[in-house]
Every structure is written in structure tokens, then in C-alpha cells.
Amino acid sequence: MLDLQLIKDQTQKVVALLAKKGFTVNFDDLLKDAQLRKQLLLDVEQVKAEANKLSASVPEAKKAGRDVQAIFSQVKVLNQSIQGKEQELKALELKIENFLLELPNLPDEDLKEGGKENNEAIRIVGKQPSFPFKIKDHVDIAEHLGIIDYQRAAKISGAGTWIYRGLGAQLEWALLNFFMSEHLKDGYEMVLLPHLLNYESGLTAGQFPKFKDDVFWLKKTEPEKFLLPTAETGLVNLHRDEILDGSQLPKKYFAYTPCYRYEAGSYRSEERGMIRGYQFNKVELVQYTREEQSPAMFLELVAKASSLVEKLGLHFRVSKLAAGDCSHSMARTHDIEVYIPSLNIYKEVSSVSNARDYQARRGKIRYKDPTTQKTKFAHTLNASALATSRIVPAILEQYQLANGDVKIPDVLVPWMGGLTVIGKQK
RNA sequence: GGAGAAAUACCCAAGUGGCUGAAGGGGCAGGCUUGGAAAGCUUGUAGGUCCUUAACCGGGCGCGAGGGUUCAAAUCCCUCUUUCUCCGCCA
């Protein structure tokens, strides 16, 4: 949520920044409503103060033996006089709130405007691998090795799913273990979340109201709950409605969860296999920081996510996203994109974002500043570290051998019980 | 799913209609004491948010949430949420 005061004070700047995201907005009505709200509030509070004062004088008047009926009726009249205004005020506040909840976050000023086409690769690690043989894509490799079963997944679930089997499942789990062990080493707190979340959590994270239809809703719960689309949604709500001790920040968390996403029609034909599905595994990092800490912590998260891909020995690049390609709730995002040889493209395996105080305002996540003792909105940041559904294809393709086997990246060998090559499964 | 109990500030907890925004205790901060600490003694400390103000002051809201009754609600009524106990079912 954006700060109403900021919109008031620097209307043109806000409009211009939102335009960089491709979002056009007119604040005229909002500013008028805000003005009206203030006037109403002033009126209502003044009358209330008067009524409160009169009421408070009753016990004294009673003791003195004075007539209190006069006071009663006086207060009654006062209260009645503002009834209509109070309702108007409430309605107006709701209207303003709802308007603000629909607005995307402001992009950072240094971002290029426009969409994907203006993303900028700011770091490239490794080089595109060359193969002295005809390469297979990850779907063929996985099926040849018998480690991923698409057919039976369709049978027991439906389209948009897959089953990891045998060494495939072990590889997936080895990755998750590797990621989590790295985060533990760095002092992040491990969290296991509920996967069923309530509406408020989606609202705070910024998914709702705008993207209500992109998640899976469970009709049976009352009120309806949804399956988490990313652990970020859970982690970023951990401290909703709390005032944190500023000297304890940043707080650093990670969680492994499957992520459930309803992305109807977004499946693209060139993306064979498990690049995109209804469910995938991910380890997510979330930080709560003080305002001044968030730029440095953003870089820490980018470095952390990058180091995982680097330790896996994969060729990848880091992209600084243009304003329009950053998601709705985020002020800036760097993507880590891993190379997929069969498609000759780079695919996102991690998205590192700084929401600044956007989510914190929605969820009233605050901290007490250790020096000024003032209450401020926290900054929230998140990073996937990492999503396995794109790392596994990258490993299968970048580490494939001439005979169709796949070498296991060195860092995963201990997590695979010493196995160094995945051969054909029986 | 059924029955019952509860929700008060950082924590415990008193409070059943009006000088109670909230007793008491713990905690926390300072001082005394001590070689240093603990203990003991002592002083201090009550949040949040909105409006107004340069600031002080002042004011609205506020005792799980939302409504209602009343001149007046932590206190009475209704709805909801959460937690606990017991019963049932269950991985």
C-alpha cells in the first residue's frame, strides 16, 4: 500500500513512477475524498469531545444533587447530530482504503521503464556449455532415466503435474537439503508453514485483491482459504499486526513449501515439461528490516541466491528487471536466470525483491526505531533460494553426458549418498 | 462434529455501568550495596493509532474483532475469531 501522505505531497511524482510500471492513475477523486474525510473527522471528533465532557460531569452533578436529565438529553441530541456524518465518514474511509489497496508498489527510481524487453543482464556467471553430441531436452533425459513420470501424474492428478521417482525424487530432495543447509549456515531461521492461508494473508502480501483468481481456493473452509502460491505469502505475514524491536532487525527466515499456482492458459508450447505447473517446490527467504537496512539486505539476498546456482556449477545470469516487469507489490526485483540448453534461453530460478514498506503498510508490520523510539513501517524482502522445478531441468540439461546419463553436481554428491552419476533406472 | 471455560498493557493478573487508559506483581531502566555479580533496598517506567500543533498542549478511537443497549461500557446484550479442557472421529 502506498502512503496517502506521499500521494498528497508528491502527486505528480507518484503518477510518473507508476507510469514507469505501465500503470495509469488519476488521483483527483482520491485527493478530494481525503480532503472531505478530514473535514468530517474534525466535525465528528469535536462533537464527540463535547458529548464526552458532558457525560463525564454526570457523577459530579448527581452528588451535588443537580438535575441530570438535562445533561442526558443534551448529550443525546449531540450524538444524534453526528450520526449521519459518522456513517459518511466510515464509508469514505473504506473507499479510500480500497482504492489504495489496488495500487501497485512504486518502482525504485533507478529502474528502466517498460517491460521485459528492458530488463538488463547485470552479471553473467559461467558460459554456455557446448556438447560434442546431440543434446536432449530435460523431458527426454528425465524419461530416459526414469526419474520423472509424467504419464502416471496425469493419471492420478491431471495435466500440469509430474511425479519425481527414485533418483529423481532423491535429486529434488538433495537440492532442497543443500539449499536449506546453506541458509542455516547463514543464520536464517527455518520455518515450516501451514499451506492453507486466510484472505488477510493474501492481502498483506499484495496478492489480493488484484490476483485473487491466480490461487487455488478451498471451498470447504469457512471463510474460504487458499493454498499458498509461495512461502513468501506465509512468511511475510508472520509479523502482521506486530511492532518489532528495531534493534532485533533484520529478521531472516526461510521456509520450504510446495507452491500451488493456478495459471490457466499460461503454459507455452516451447516450454516442455516441468518448467511450469500447478505445483512446484521452493525454498523461500524473507527478511524484515529497518528502512535503512533494506538496500544492503537486498544485495545480500541476490548474492545468496546467486551463490547457490554458482555452487551447483550452472551457467546463469542476473537480470535487473525493468519497472514494468517487477511484480505488483515490489519496488525492485533482480531475477536469477539459469541457462536451459535445449531452449537456448535463460529461465528464472529465483526472483529477489524488495517490497520496501508496501507489504508492511498493508499488514501493519512495524518496528520501534532503536534511536528515535518512533514506530515505523518495516521493509520486507524476499528471494527464492531456490525453485527446484527450473533447477532440475537445468541440471539435467547442463550436466548431461553422451550416453544419456547425468552427472551430479559436486555439492549435491554428499546429499545423494555419494552417488556421482544418475544412470538409467530399472 | 458435541459440551464447557477463557481472551485486559512486554508477561502474570485485579477489575460487573461513571474521577479506571485500567489496582497489584513480574520485567525493564537508573541509584544504593558489592572486588564483580546475584540477592536485598530504592527511584523511575504504561502501550498503539488518528486529528490538530513548529513544538508543548489538546482531542477522537482503544481491555480478542465487529455490532448493539445507555447520557455513560473492560463491565450488560448479540455475532464472529482464537485458545484451553472433556467427549467423538482421525494421520
Side-chain angles (χ1 to χ4, degrees), chain A residues 174-351:
Chain A
L175 279 165
L176 295 169
N177 273 327
F178 166 58
F179 297 157
M180 293 195 284
S181 71
E182 293 287 308
H183 302 328
L184 283 172
K185 252 188 259 169
D186 291 338
Y188 284 63
E189 181 185 332
M190 179 171 172
V191 177
L192 291 174
L193 293 164
H195 298 186
L196 273 49
L197 302 178
N198 56 27
Y199 184 87
E200 289 72 30
S201 294
L203 188 81
T204 294
Q207 266 118 22
F208 307 155
K210 204 155 180 175
F211 303 108
K212 308 203 267 304
D213 296 331
D214 295 350
V215 299
F216 287 103
W217 287 94
L218 298 158
K219 300 282 179 204
K220 205 152 185 178
T221 56
E222 179 57 48
E224 287 183 4
K225 291 188 169 62
F226 66 99
L227 285 170
L228 51 62
T230 157
E232 175 207 338
T233 313
L235 288 175
V236 104
N237 276 278
L238 218 52
H239 295 297
R240 160 145 55 91
D241 285 317
E242 290 183 25
I243 299 172
L244 301 164
D245 177 353
S247 67
Q248 302 286 314
L249 298 178
K251 279 183 175 289
K252 304 178 179 184
Y253 299 102
F254 75 91
Y256 154 72
T257 65
C259 303
Y260 306 95
R261 296 194 183 172
Y262 183 71
E263 302 184 80
S266 55
Y267 193 94
R268 281 197 248 137
S269 56
E270 87 270 18
E271 296 179 349
R272 272 192 90 194
M274 64 185 124
I275 299 271
R276 202 185 279 280
Y278 288 130
Q279 178 193 326
F280 60 90
N281 290 318
K282 179 154 69 69
V283 177
E284 182 79 7
L285 307 173
V286 162
Q287 287 203 20
Y288 294 77
T289 76
R290 299 201 297 267
E291 194 180 1
E292 74 276 10
Q293 294 170 323
S294 82
M297 290 305 109
F298 177 79
L299 295 177
E300 175 183 300
L301 289 173
V302 174
K304 263 184 75 66
S306 306
S307 85
L308 295 179
V309 190
E310 200 165 358
K311 283 178 183 172
L312 286 168
L314 294 168
H315 167 51
F316 69 99
R317 68 183 187 196
V318 180
S319 264
K320 177 178 169 182
L321 300 196
D325 202 27
C326 293
S327 60
H328 190 75
S329 307
M330 298 303 159
R332 84 186 289 112
T333 298
H334 289 185
D335 273 358
I336 290 160
E337 299 165 335
V338 71
Y339 182 64
I340 307 281
S342 67
L343 300 172
N344 191 30
I345 53 170
Y346 292 83
K347 271 293 177 188
E348 176 202 331
V349 286
S350 173
S351 209

Side-chain angles (χ1 to χ4, degrees), chain A residues 71-261:
Chain A
I71 301 178
F72 291 174
S73 55
Q74 229 176 319
V75 174
K76 210 165 186 168
V77 169
L78 279 175
N79 282 341
Q80 276 166 357
S81 75
I82 53 167
Q83 248 176 35
K85 277 190 185 176
E86 250 190 310
Q87 275 180 349
E88 205 183 325
L89 182 64
K90 241 184 219 173
L92 202 55
E93 275 174 344
L94 197 66
K95 188 179 163 198
I96 292 171
E97 170 95 357
N98 284 338
F99 182 87
L100 291 176
L101 283 174
E102 295 271 357
L103 295 175
N105 200 354
L106 297 177
D108 281 355
E109 305 208 21
D110 62 305
L111 301 191
K112 285 192 187 150
E113 87 171 75
K116 255 188 179 46
E117 66 286 355
N118 291 335
N119 291 355
E120 183 189 355
I122 54 173
R123 191 178 161 218
I124 295 171
V125 176
K127 1 178 202 248
Q128 297 192 353
S130 57
F131 299 91
F133 53 88
K134 189 164 183 289
I135 59 163
K136 294 180 180 150
D137 73 26
H138 64 277
V139 178
D140 291 340
I141 297 167
E143 283 185 333
H144 165 76
L145 294 175
I147 56 175
I148 293 173
D149 189 338
Y150 294 97
Q151 252 88 61
R152 289 190 178 83
K155 176 173 69 181
I156 67 175
S157 174
T161 56
W162 57 85
I163 301 170
Y164 295 103
R165 298 187 59 170
L167 290 177
Q170 285 172 251
L171 177 66
E172 177 81 1
W173 215 250
L175 279 165
L176 295 169
N177 273 327
F178 166 58
F179 297 157
M180 293 195 284
S181 71
E182 293 287 308
H183 302 328
L184 283 172
K185 252 188 259 169
D186 291 338
Y188 284 63
E189 181 185 332
M190 179 171 172
V191 177
L192 291 174
L193 293 164
H195 298 186
L196 273 49
L197 302 178
N198 56 27
Y199 184 87
E200 289 72 30
S201 294
L203 188 81
T204 294
Q207 266 118 22
F208 307 155
K210 204 155 180 175
F211 303 108
K212 308 203 267 304
D213 296 331
D214 295 350
V215 299
F216 287 103
W217 287 94
L218 298 158
K219 300 282 179 204
K220 205 152 185 178
T221 56
E222 179 57 48
E224 287 183 4
K225 291 188 169 62
F226 66 99
L227 285 170
L228 51 62
T230 157
E232 175 207 338
T233 313
L235 288 175
V236 104
N237 276 278
L238 218 52
H239 295 297
R240 160 145 55 91
D241 285 317
E242 290 183 25
I243 299 172
L244 301 164
D245 177 353
S247 67
Q248 302 286 314
L249 298 178
K251 279 183 175 289
K252 304 178 179 184
Y253 299 102
F254 75 91
Y256 154 72
T257 65
C259 303
Y260 306 95
R261 296 194 183 172

